[in-house]
Amino acid sequence: MATLYLSLGTNMGDRQKNLSSALKLIDLEVGTVVSESDIMETEPWEFESSNRFLNMVIKVETDLQPVEVLHVTQEIERKLGRLEKSVNGQYHDRPIDIDLLMYDNITMSTPELTLPHPLMRQRKFVMEPLAQIAPELAGN
């Protein structure tokens, strides 16, 4: 079993329901959700929108490999209504966003996936919830 940290965010529709649905699907399709941060409400990051985000970080135990996790979480995003991913840093409103933050101690960089997530330390909406459930990883 590998330990995986995921960041979840939503700023469209019923945000609480989006997070709840994502958690259930992750638990069914990725692995066991063993820890959840509090949910925090934040302003959009790197784009303008009147829709505020709900964000959280979860710890998951999984048998899937990192790229398999990526593909499954992208499919969960589609199931929950996300039609397109952000491209070249052009962010937009979305019903759900699931980012892989860390997978065990793996460091990798491919065109498809970079671990640890290259922008996580710049994002307060990632680091504060991560610090709640894994302070040793957040530098706290």
Side-chain angles (χ1 to χ4, degrees), residues 42-87:
T42 63
E43 294 294 328
W45 189 79
E46 296 289 313
F47 77 102
E48 296 293 322
S49 176
S50 59
N51 301 321
R52 292 174 57 87
F53 275 84
L54 293 184
N55 296 99
M56 67 185 304
V57 171
I58 62 173
K59 178 181 178 181
V60 179
E61 298 294 332
T62 186
D63 287 326
L64 300 179
Q65 294 300 308
V67 173
E68 291 175 301
V69 172
L70 176 66
H71 294 161
V72 172
T73 56
Q74 288 173 338
E75 181 58 29
I76 291 170
E77 289 175 337
R78 284 188 287 279
K79 286 179 184 176
L80 297 179
R82 184 162 186 186
L83 303 177
E84 59 184 333
K85 291 292 282 181
S86 304
V87 178

